[in-house]
Amino acid sequence: EVQLVESGGGLVKPGGSLRLSCAASGLSSSSFAMNWVRQAPGKGLEWVASISGSGSFIFYADSVKGRFTISRDNAKTSLYLQMSSLRVEDTAVYYCASEWGSHPAGDFEYWGQGTLVTVSS
Amino acid sequence: YELTQPSSVSVSPGQTARITCSGDGLTKKYARWLQQKPGQAPLLVIHKDTERPSGIPERFSGSSSGTTVTLTISGAQVEDEADYYCYSTTDNVAVVFGGGTKLTVL
């Protein structure tokens, strides 16, 4: 059974930094593209970033480009999101989602339960 | 690139629910549909416009015509009450979500 478990969320002040992790089990995470998707409280879904199975291809939403960095450690079957220069509008539940292909294509097959990031002074 | 969905759809149990999603990019890129129940992570119910992942009930189907894709739930059940999101990709691999549709089955 595939499981994705996010961690690292919490309360941070505007301008601060936070690192999210997503631990994958039940799949060979190095074979699959991975994504971060967020959802502000009471709002819809917003794609944040994608990374290919090898880590060679990375894509970001314009809203986080230059502030967030997606990475992965295939030996640990883990995905990360380093977030810096955080803004109040980054407050959201952050989900990791895996795809069934090695290159990002938007096929979000498996999802974690999410971790809440709150940016507030 | 925007995807437009109705904010809400309401049907009685056993009726057919149809949720539309419109966007110019849908003529070139596949659409997918996610179901999200309160407090839960999203679940992929349709991909490649019309294909149903394994484990998704047959009452869920997708169709496409021009710039509009449609999620159809035939014989909607109370447990199908949820938010439904369409989404697609752009040429540079960005992912775009529709605003979501709240389906009420009552």
Side-chain angles (χ1 to χ4, degrees):
Chain A
E1 181 189 1
V2 175
Q3 269 201 323
L4 301 175
V5 180
E6 302 93 337
S7 61
L11 175 63
V12 60
K13 288 182 167 50
S17 299
L18 208 57
R19 188 195 198 207
L20 305 183
S21 300
C22 172
S25 61
L27 56 78
S28 173
S29 71
S30 62
S31 302
F32 304 104
M34 300 287 291
N35 300 264
W36 288 101
V37 176
R38 68 185 180 183
Q39 187 170 34
K43 301 296 185 182
L45 299 169
E46 180 187 15
W47 169 74
V48 173
S50 298
I51 186 168
S52 63
S54 66
S56 300
F57 298 93
I58 289 174
F59 306 92
Y60 296 101
D62 288 343
S63 58
V64 306
K65 202 172 293 184
R67 301 188 299 123
F68 290 11
T69 302
I70 188 172
S71 62
R72 63 192 298 159
D73 183 337
N74 287 339
K76 297 181 180 179
T77 63
S78 292
L79 175 72
Y80 306 102
L81 186 68
Q82 178 68 47
M83 305 184 295
S84 59
S85 302
L86 282 162
R87 305 167 181 168
V88 171
E89 55 265 35
D90 294 320
T91 295
V93 173
Y94 285 73
Y95 296 101
C96 67
S98 66
E99 304 196 33
W100 50 63
S102 60
H103 190 79
D107 294 314
F108 301 153
E109 182 179 21
Y110 296 108
W111 293 71
Q113 285 302 305
T115 186
L116 176 63
V117 173
T118 303
V119 185
S120 174
S121 53
Chain B
Y1 181 3
E2 289 186 355
L3 296 176
T4 302
Q5 301 178 233
S7 57
S8 63
V9 168
S10 183
V11 298
S12 299
Q15 288 188 328
T16 296
R18 294 182 179 86
I19 301 172
T20 59
C21 173
S22 299
D24 289 342
L26 295 177
T27 59
K28 298 183 295 183
K29 299 290 187 178
Y30 286 122
R32 295 85 166 170
W33 290 93
L34 296 168
Q35 175 196 68
Q36 187 179 33
K37 296 181 179 179
Q40 296 186 19
L43 172 69
L44 185 67
V45 295
I46 294 290
H47 67 100
K48 283 189 177 178
D49 290 348
T50 62
E51 297 191 13
R52 197 174 50 247
S54 61
I56 301 302
E58 290 184 7
R59 63 180 181 274
F60 288 87
S61 64
S63 61
S64 176
S65 179
T67 60
T68 299
V69 294
T70 302
L71 172 69
T72 300
I73 307 172
S74 303
Q77 301 182 7
V78 173
E79 59 261 36
D80 298 332
E81 190 165 286
D83 293 328
Y84 290 85
Y85 294 90
C86 67
Y87 73 99
S88 186
T89 54
T90 67
D91 287 339
N92 59 358
V93 196
V95 175
V96 178
F97 286 95
T101 299
K102 181 176 180 59
L103 174 66
T104 301
V105 183
L106 192 60

